[in-house]
Amino acid sequence: MEISSEQEYVSMLYERLDDLRTRASARLARVLRDLGRDSRLTHNQARPLVVPVIVEALALLYADRIGADPFGGPNLLNETVDEAQERSEMAWRLLVRRCPTRWMTLVGDVAQTGDPAGTTSWQRVLGPHLGDRWRLEPLTLNYRVPAEIMAVASDVLAAIDPSTAPPRSVRETGLLPWHVEVPRGELPERLGEFATRQAAGLGERRLAVIVPETRLEELGGAVTAVTAPAPPGERDRQVTVLTTRQAKGLEFDSVLIAEPAQIIAESPRGLNDLYVALTRATQCLGVVHTGELPAVLSGLVPLGG
């Protein structure tokens, strides 16, 4: 943060008085209130009460200048937080404390919140610390996910929050996302077959197989046995078997999702997890399931149909 004049700096300090009150101890805050109410105190009586308050305030203001926290740990003049939607309310208290200027860039999508301690509302986590002194800048263009896949993901997004407008994809691939139902007892074997078939047409491009967390070892082992991919959870080979949490923030040319209904059922924010899984693909998407397809995936076309 650049400050062009001392006057501008003083103005900023006045705006931060509420922050100083928060960070001062409750005892000192009470002293300030009492001094404002009691005009009978003499100068000598007031001095030992006021001096600690002034010293603490000056220490906080000096910390802004030198980038150090007098209460322990480094301060940040500017802070960037990725996957911000996953931070708990306690984590926000820590992040705000470490950035007394409140000059922060937050990157996140509440539609992708998977952690139960994460947020579904920016106002809920930022309001207690920033009031109305923050701005939301929606990103409306989607460069990763093609229009065909985003049409399906948009139905899931609408189920998460009907008021959220989906981003507009900038490209099409002509490849419709598909689904196929297989017998329950044959899922591991059939998933391996579909992964093998999908990987064969990718060349050097990458395939992710996203599975329910409780079935990572079982389904990952089945896929590994026929495709020789990275071990389940690892990401450095052509075929990778992952959970939704492990896939977050990543992208792959092709994605296979196994048992979407189970992904939804595994977490209180299962729809958010499914939205994450759907939006990892840059080219093509397939879904393999054993039971009824969740209604939010009605936009998928039957394989071979």
Side-chain angles (χ1 to χ4, degrees):
M1 181 178 183
E2 295 184 0
I3 299 174
S4 59
S5 67
E6 288 300 317
Q7 183 177 1
E8 184 178 342
Y9 182 65
V10 170
S11 297
M12 184 196 74
L13 298 185
Y14 274 109
E15 292 176 0
R16 292 191 52 248
L17 283 177
D18 60 329
D19 177 52
L20 296 179
R21 294 192 188 97
T22 300
R23 299 188 66 181
S25 68
R27 180 179 64 82
L28 295 180
R30 285 197 299 271
V31 168
L32 287 174
R33 289 197 300 270
D34 292 343
L35 287 176
R37 294 171 184 160
D38 193 347
S39 59
R40 296 171 300 174
L41 289 174
T42 67
H43 175 77
N44 289 335
Q45 289 172 323
R47 182 174 180 179
L49 300 176
V50 174
V51 167
V53 178
I54 295 175
V55 170
E56 185 169 22
L58 288 176
L60 288 167
L61 300 181
Y62 181 66
D64 289 344
R65 287 284 190 161
I66 66 174
D69 186 349
F71 303 103
N75 265 357
L76 302 173
L77 298 180
N78 183 284
E79 192 168 34
T80 300
V81 182
D82 194 16
E83 299 289 354
Q85 78 278 356
E86 302 292 351
R87 313 303 173 183
S88 67
E89 293 186 17
M90 183 62 71
W92 280 112
R93 292 180 62 183
L94 173 63
L95 290 168
V96 171
R97 179 182 176 87
R98 288 290 180 245
C99 189
T101 63
R102 303 299 190 265
W103 195 277
M104 306 171 76
T105 301
L106 314 177
V107 182
D109 181 359
V110 293
Q112 298 188 35
T113 303
D115 195 309
T119 190
T120 57
S121 166
W122 295 120
Q123 177 59 42
R124 192 182 78 195
V125 293
L126 298 181
H129 308 289
L130 305 178
D132 60 356
R133 301 188 304 277
W134 60 278
R135 183 183 70 182
L136 178 65
E137 190 66 35
L139 302 180
T140 59
L141 294 181
N142 189 340
Y143 295 96
R144 172 196 293 159
V145 184
E148 295 88 348
I149 297 176
M150 199 61 219
V152 177
S154 294
D155 291 338
V156 179
L157 182 61
I160 295 171
D161 183 357
S163 67
T164 301
R168 180 174 61 86
S169 296
V170 299
R171 61 189 177 86
E172 299 177 358
T173 63
L175 302 173
L176 295 177
W178 52 267
H179 76 96
V180 61
E181 183 175 357
V182 301
R184 190 173 303 276
E186 297 179 12
L187 176 63
E189 178 185 354
R190 297 296 301 278
L191 184 62
E193 292 175 1
F194 285 115
T196 301
R197 186 185 310 170
Q198 201 82 352
L202 288 177
E204 295 183 354
R205 293 176 296 173
R206 302 178 67 202
L207 166 68
V209 182
I210 300 178
V211 303
E213 189 166 350
T214 55
R215 304 191 69 176
L216 176 61
E217 184 174 352
E218 173 199 4
L219 298 179
V223 173
T224 300
V226 295
T227 63
E234 294 189 15
R235 311 166 187 174
D236 59 351
R237 299 187 193 175
Q238 184 196 26
V239 181
T240 306
V241 184
L242 301 166
T243 66
T244 300
R245 184 181 297 271
Q246 292 169 333
K248 182 168 290 187
L250 304 178
E251 63 179 50
F252 301 87
D253 301 283
S254 181
V255 170
L256 282 178
I257 300 175
E259 294 290 57
Q262 189 173 351
I263 290 176
I264 294 174
E266 280 187 340
S267 167
R269 292 185 172 154
L271 282 173
N272 303 67
D273 289 341
L274 181 59
Y275 181 74
V276 170
L278 292 168
T279 54
R280 298 307 95 195
T282 65
Q283 298 294 327
C284 50
L285 171 74
V287 174
V288 183
H289 59 102
T290 60
E292 185 177 354
L293 193 68
V296 291
L297 297 181
S298 60
L300 296 170
V301 301
L303 180 64

